[in-house]
Amino acid sequence: MTGKLPLVEKVNPSHTAILVIDIQNDFCSSSGLLACIGRDLSMIERAINRLLPTLRAASGADVC
């Protein structure tokens, strides 16, 4: 096959995985270390809020 794979093949559950790498309270929680020293975690919080529905949808599609 030549050219780029269509999106449907790129995300085919038979060869797709989702990796969630170490979401730690110190780096992601509003009560963690980074928040306590004044870092803006709003982008992280938005990503985490989207994570669970994404993982549920992936699981429903048999993505490992």
Side-chain angles (χ1 to χ4, degrees), residues 1-62:
M1 182 153 102
T2 61
K4 296 182 179 181
L5 289 175
L7 182 61
V8 70
E9 279 300 311
K10 288 180 184 178
V11 295
N12 184 325
S14 68
H15 56 79
T16 301
I18 292 182
L19 301 176
V20 178
I21 300 175
D22 211 5
I23 298 176
Q24 296 182 4
N25 286 333
D26 272 345
F27 301 105
C28 302
S29 171
S30 60
S31 61
L33 175 66
L34 291 184
C36 289
I37 62 171
R39 297 294 298 265
D40 177 17
L41 301 180
S42 59
M43 187 182 334
I44 294 170
E45 290 169 352
R46 286 192 303 272
I48 290 172
N49 289 335
R50 295 177 180 175
L51 183 59
L52 190 53
T54 301
L55 293 175
R56 285 184 182 136
S59 178
D62 293 328

